[in-house]
Amino acid sequence: MKVKWISGILSAVMLLSLAAPASADEETRELKDESIYDVLVDRYFNKQVENDYEVTATDSAAFNGGDFAGLASEILHIKDMGFTVLSIGPVFASATYDGKQVMDFNQFERHFGTEEDFTALLDTVHENDMKLLIDIPTQQMSSEHFWVTDNPEWFTENEDGTYALDTSNSEAQQALIEFARNFIQLYEIDGLRLQETEKLDPGFIADFSEEIKEIRDIYLLSDAEMEPLEGLDAVVLPGVEETLRNSYRNFDQDTSGLPELMENADGKLIQADSLHGSRVTSDIVSVKGFPPTRMRLLMTQLFTMPGIPVVQYGTEIAMSGETPAESHQLLNMAVEQELIEHIQNLTSLRNSSEAMRTGDMEMIHEEDGWLIYKRSNDEEAWIVAINNSSSTRNFTLPAELVGSDKQLQGLFENDIVRQEANGTYKITLDREIGETFHIIEERGFNMAYIGALIVLYFVFMFFLWVVWKKGRQRKADEAAKSVNTEQSSN
């Protein structure tokens, strides 16, 4: 444990010292610079018992007690992991804990807290240099919503008795736009996400985006894998969940789909799972994989490839579950910190390195789980190597790719790869290990540093000799004084 702790400290120092100049704060960050932590208010932390109306923490289908105050009080868990956007799902009065069955867009869900509680959470998020994103659900609305009773022609009834808003209906469009405009005028939120975006009318999305951005230029995101659409600032990259899950559920997996996925990921939301279905951990468990190792490699991929990472709450503790209710467990923060620390290191690297966020991506090698790619811009360059196989792998990088008189400084395993006599650089990684190498100038042996150590050694030895000599002199003086005292008394 001590070795891991020391290694973690060294890695953190390296991350901060190598790339800090390229970091961006909340005021200057664009969507492409963000990383999103996705959570449901009800499943994060229960702070206030006053709003625990018929709460049943042991029933995954019921309200479990999480609230706005709980998110605000435990915000450092998210902040310390390095995420820049907190996505909290729907916040409106709802028949269900996940907020999908909206009963009234004009009221906050009473289990979550009051308007004052929401405003306090919003302030806390901004004070911690993060942004707040909320969801707008329209396709599973409650039969109790007054829109359903007053305007049944706006809706289509679903098989489960909920109602889907017809966003091609001009009156329905105007009602939803008016609600959203009023909401973002009242509350300084930073973004909206349209739930089940693929079911919404494209013309409505374009008009909705134009209307809300007239008030304030906030993010408007999709929650679905789909092609880019006018009005949306980002969509979920098509195929991203299936490709990532299939590639990392176990070692020695087919990773041939990763290069094309990464080539198309720039500016898209990238995620390994969502709050709509099963957790990636359930895939790992189904093939008897070891979740911590699998998740470390998957997170390395997610935070170093192009795109905007979206991570579901509980990923940091390898939360599992097949169905939405099972995968929406109350978050347990009292767990082993190893995966959390790995995410912290990865977000620190991404937040600090512009090349990692928005730089060019060059695929160098992909074969049977052995993946190597380069991220770079004019100021910095990195080599990412992920060995998701059952054996040690190595690969030789040519000087044309790295440059001459360089060295590759590993951040997580603390490896250093120097140029060999033939001009190449040989990377070697043990099985199931991911490493990120910073390409820097060859340092070789720092003679000035070594010289300083030698001088310090001799100064220290001289100091010890002086202390020893003074000690001997003091003892001699004390002995002489003792003799003189005895002679005087005689």
Side-chain angles (χ1 to χ4, degrees):
M1 182 62 69
K2 183 176 179 181
V3 172
K4 290 182 180 179
W5 177 78
I6 293 174
S7 176
I9 293 295
L10 290 174
S11 295
V13 170
M14 291 167 65
L15 287 171
L16 292 173
S17 64
L18 291 175
S23 62
D25 58 25
E26 182 189 0
E27 296 299 322
T28 60
R29 285 197 310 266
E30 301 178 35
L31 180 56
K32 61 186 179 182
D33 299 313
E34 309 284 13
S35 56
I36 301 172
Y37 186 81
D38 207 6
V39 68
L40 295 172
V41 176
D42 183 65
R43 299 304 161 97
Y44 189 72
F45 187 74
N46 187 355
K47 177 71 173 178
Q48 295 179 331
V49 296
E50 308 93 85
N51 51 39
D52 287 352
Y53 307 103
E54 299 177 355
V55 162
T56 308
T58 57
D59 183 355
S60 62
F63 282 94
N64 282 188
D67 45 38
F68 296 140
L71 273 166
S73 70
E74 303 301 321
I75 197 75
L76 288 182
H77 174 72
I78 303 166
K79 168 69 173 178
D80 290 347
M81 281 192 291
F83 292 97
T84 63
V85 175
L86 172 58
S87 170
I88 62 173
V91 298
F92 316 104
S94 171
T96 53
Y97 73 88
D98 59 8
K100 288 184 177 181
Q101 295 187 28
V102 179
M103 297 188 295
D104 191 346
F105 279 121
N106 297 315
Q107 299 290 329
F108 287 107
E109 169 51 48
R110 62 177 188 153
H111 290 88
F112 300 165
T114 64
E115 178 182 8
E116 291 74 20
D117 294 330
F118 178 77
T119 302
L121 169 61
L122 183 57
D123 291 341
T124 301
V125 170
H126 288 162
E127 288 166 5
N128 282 275
D129 193 30
M130 291 188 291
K131 295 174 181 174
L132 189 70
L133 180 77
I134 67 167
D135 283 9
I136 297 182
T138 61
Q139 298 303 294
Q140 297 181 52
M141 295 174 65
S142 169
S143 59
E144 297 181 30
H145 197 295
F146 71 91
W147 286 0
V148 176
T149 56
D150 293 352
N151 305 281
E153 70 277 8
W154 293 3
F155 294 89
T156 300
E157 186 174 2
N158 298 318
E159 292 182 0
D160 62 357
T162 61
Y163 287 80
L165 183 68
D166 178 8
T167 54
S168 67
N169 181 294
S170 60
E171 291 182 349
Q173 288 182 7
Q174 191 54 44
L176 197 58
I177 288 172
E178 183 179 354
F179 143 70
R181 284 177 61 92
N182 290 337
F183 191 85
I184 64 177
Q185 284 177 321
L186 283 171
Y187 309 104
E188 292 287 323
I189 63 169
D190 305 287
L192 297 172
R193 183 170 58 184
L194 299 173
Q195 286 197 351
E196 300 184 77
T197 322
E198 76 283 5
K199 298 179 181 179
L200 307 185
D201 180 69
F204 159 72
I205 293 175
D207 292 343
F208 183 87
S209 177
E210 182 179 356
E211 290 278 354
I212 65 172
K213 287 177 182 289
E214 280 184 358
I215 298 173
R216 194 166 66 254
D217 189 19
I218 65 174
Y219 299 148
L220 183 62
L221 307 182
S222 165
D223 73 339
E225 295 186 6
M226 58 191 296
E227 294 302 320
L229 199 63
E230 180 183 356
L232 294 173
D233 294 308
V235 299
V236 181
L237 175 65
V240 64
E241 288 191 27
E242 181 180 9
T243 303
L244 289 178
R245 292 171 78 135
N246 288 342
S247 297
Y248 288 100
R249 70 177 64 210
N250 209 343
F251 51 79
D252 292 333
Q253 299 296 293
D254 178 13
T255 53
S256 60
L258 287 174
E260 182 179 358
L261 184 83
M262 295 168 68
E263 290 288 349
N264 297 319
D266 190 40
K268 311 289 197 317
L269 301 170
I270 52 173
Q271 57 193 38
D273 54 16
S274 72
L275 296 178
H276 304 317
S278 66
R279 295 280 184 151
V280 65
T281 308
S282 66
D283 290 359
I284 298 170
V285 173
S286 70
V287 295
K288 299 182 180 179
F290 184 58
T293 299
R294 305 279 87 232
M295 295 302 292
R296 280 177 63 90
L297 292 176
L298 178 53
M299 290 298 103
T300 299
Q301 170 82 67
L302 192 71
F303 282 98
T304 60
M305 67 180 281
I308 306 156
V310 182
V311 175
Q312 315 310 320
Y313 88 100
T315 297
E316 68 272 24
I317 61 170
M319 186 181 290
S320 189
E322 291 284 348
T323 65
E326 292 175 351
S327 63
H328 297 165
Q329 303 163 29
L330 269 171
L331 183 62
N332 178 12
M333 300 182 196
V335 296
E336 172 63 43
Q337 296 291 305
E338 186 174 348
L339 183 54
I340 294 175
E341 290 171 358
H342 187 60
I343 293 174
Q344 288 173 338
N345 286 339
L346 289 167
T347 56
S348 179
L349 169 59
R350 188 178 187 277
N351 292 342
S352 300
S353 168
E354 187 175 349
M356 277 294 183
R357 297 193 304 272
T358 61
D360 296 332
M361 195 282 296
E362 179 181 355
M363 182 60 62
I364 299 171
H365 180 77
E366 181 282 314
E367 184 181 10
D368 299 330
W370 182 213
L371 191 69
I372 304 172
Y373 50 96
K374 182 179 180 180
R375 301 299 311 277
S376 63
N377 59 15
D378 292 338
E379 285 75 40
E380 53 179 327
W382 304 81
I383 298 293
V384 181
I386 301 175
N387 181 8
N388 187 31
S389 76
S390 55
S391 60
T392 299
R393 295 293 186 91
N394 57 70
F395 189 82
T396 300
L397 300 171
E400 299 79 52
L401 189 66
V402 178
S404 296
D405 301 321
K406 306 288 186 181
Q407 72 179 39
L408 308 182
Q409 178 69 63
L411 298 189
F412 305 124
E413 302 299 319
N414 298 325
D415 293 332
I416 297 177
V417 178
R418 292 188 169 87
Q419 190 171 26
E420 299 189 357
N422 62 2
T424 61
Y425 302 80
K426 186 176 181 180
I427 293 176
T428 300
L429 281 189
D430 290 336
R431 58 174 291 173
E432 300 181 89
I433 291 291
E435 181 60 291
T436 303
F437 296 94
H438 192 195
I439 300 177
I440 59 177
E441 296 296 326
E442 172 67 57
R443 291 177 177 175
F445 293 104
N446 192 330
M447 299 308 296
Y449 178 69
I450 294 174
L453 287 178
I454 293 173
V455 171
L456 183 62
Y457 171 78
F458 281 109
V459 169
F460 181 66
M461 294 303 294
F462 176 74
F463 169 75
L464 292 179
W465 178 80
V466 170
V467 171
W468 172 77
K469 186 174 181 180
K470 285 184 176 181
R472 287 195 61 186
Q473 185 63 48
R474 185 173 62 255
K475 289 182 179 179
D477 292 343
E478 289 175 353
K481 183 178 180 180
S482 176
V483 170
N484 291 336
T485 301
E486 290 178 0
Q487 290 177 347
S488 298
S489 61
N490 292 332

